[in-house]
Amino acid sequence: MITDWHTLNREPSLPGLYLRAATRRKITGTTLPDSGLRCWVDVDPQRLAAYRNVCGYADNGLLPPTYPHILAFALQMQLLTAKDFPFPLLGLIHLSNRLRVLRPMGAVNRVRVSVQVQNLQPHAKGATFDLVTTLGDQLGSLWEAESRMLCRGVKLEGEPLEQVLDSTLPLSEVAHWKAPSDIGRRYARVSGDYNPIHLSAASARLFGFPSAIAHGLWLKARTLAALVDHLPAASLEIMVQFKKPVRLPSEVTLLASAAGSSGDLRLISAGELEHMTGHWRPLA
């Protein structure tokens, strides 16, 4: 597919995009748009510091490997609420996330963010697509990621392809932390992601959840912050699948194992309830 790229002069404004998302509740088609969005974005040091604080990252002079998601969020929102995007944004389910750090992200002050959607596939509960995001500077590509999203109720022809991540290394406890009742609101303030299912029990119940649940990308960020001593600064791929939601408040345990430059991870809570599985690998 050839992408029809549109370059924006500035980051989109989130309030208007949230209003657009709130008023779109119907599936309008089964074809993804071939358009993509690009924009140069400045790294705000205060927002970066607040993000590190919420996610547990130390300031090592590098952008955290999950921070490009924050830089791209407004652009992603504009893409997913555009008239030619066929699925309602509210109700999309984040199934998995794969990111690749191509070069060390130090002294990064201004980046070009690109977002597009592709790879529409049938799923047992609807259809999935990949939200693809890339980050670059004047020297070229720095970082790239695919977030696999599920839209329930979409009917596509074909057999669903299931993606399974199995741990192959022995795992042991690496970290244990609390996910407090307000972490959804705290993460929303630094990320811009004010999805109601994360903010409070009252707002989550409007969408069928008995309590607020933690953001999947906060769980991934908090996990990578705990694994910082195991992860190289670049030439790295990190893949996770999101399992059962983490209801707030909760306590979770991170299990991990490293073998050279590779490792597996698993995030669980009481009763061996599995919330996230994944691995990290060197780039070929």
Side-chain angles (χ1 to χ4, degrees):
M1 182 182 75
I2 299 175
T3 303
D4 180 18
W5 290 104
H6 300 269
T7 300
L8 306 184
N9 294 325
R10 60 181 181 273
E11 284 185 84
S13 173
L14 282 175
L17 296 177
Y18 271 112
L19 179 61
R20 190 187 300 175
T23 56
R24 292 190 57 190
R25 297 296 181 91
K26 293 183 178 180
I27 297 169
T28 59
T30 55
T31 303
L32 295 178
D34 60 4
S35 56
L37 299 176
R38 288 173 171 164
C39 185
W40 284 93
V41 177
D42 293 321
V43 178
D44 181 344
Q46 291 185 333
R47 188 183 185 192
L48 174 57
Y51 177 85
R52 286 188 175 118
N53 182 58
V54 169
C55 298
Y57 284 110
D59 184 357
N60 62 357
L62 302 173
L63 289 188
T66 49
Y67 193 68
H69 288 295
I70 308 305
L71 297 173
F73 183 72
L75 217 58
Q76 293 171 345
M77 282 281 291
Q78 176 143 328
L79 185 71
L80 297 180
T81 56
K83 289 183 179 180
D84 60 352
F85 184 72
F87 309 140
L89 177 59
L90 291 178
L92 293 180
I93 300 169
H94 196 173
L95 297 180
S96 65
N97 176 264
R98 182 194 305 271
L99 68 82
R100 302 173 193 88
V101 183
L102 306 177
R103 291 190 284 125
M105 295 190 290
V108 176
N109 300 312
R110 184 171 171 81
V111 292
R112 189 173 79 159
V113 179
S114 303
V115 298
Q116 62 184 130
V117 289
Q118 59 187 32
N119 193 30
L120 186 65
Q121 297 288 339
H123 186 275
K125 297 181 179 179
T128 63
F129 66 93
D130 292 339
L131 175 60
V132 180
T133 306
T134 60
L135 205 76
D137 60 11
Q138 298 287 0
L139 299 178
S141 298
L142 279 167
W143 178 98
E144 57 191 25
E146 300 95 36
S147 289
R148 181 150 298 175
M149 312 298 293
L150 167 66
C151 181
R152 295 178 183 268
V154 181
K155 297 187 183 300
L156 296 179
E157 294 184 1
E159 291 297 320
L161 298 175
E162 191 165 351
Q163 189 179 31
V164 178
L165 286 182
D166 292 322
S167 294
T168 58
L169 301 172
L171 306 180
S172 58
E173 182 173 336
V174 172
H176 182 91
W177 68 81
K178 295 182 179 180
S181 57
D182 67 342
I183 194 60
R185 297 187 293 277
R186 290 170 55 200
Y187 184 77
R189 284 194 289 270
V190 300
S191 68
D193 185 354
Y194 283 90
N195 189 322
I197 65 175
H198 303 303
L199 302 182
S200 70
S203 61
R205 280 194 289 269
L206 296 175
F207 293 86
F209 291 88
S211 63
I213 62 174
H215 291 77
L217 287 178
W218 176 76
L219 293 173
K220 184 172 184 178
R222 185 67 182 80
T223 293
L224 299 190
L227 291 172
V228 66
D229 292 336
H230 299 275
L231 304 177
S235 297
L236 170 72
E237 177 180 89
I238 306 165
M239 171 71 177
V240 300
Q241 286 185 332
F242 301 111
K243 304 292 189 176
K244 295 290 185 181
V246 173
R247 295 183 181 182
L248 302 177
S250 288
E251 295 187 23
V252 295
T253 298
L254 173 62
L255 307 174
S257 182
S261 56
S262 299
D264 294 337
L265 63 91
R266 186 168 176 249
L267 192 69
I268 62 173
S269 60
E272 290 287 309
L273 186 63
E274 194 170 62
H275 301 293
M276 188 173 72
T277 61
H279 62 239
W280 67 93
R281 303 286 187 262
L283 291 177

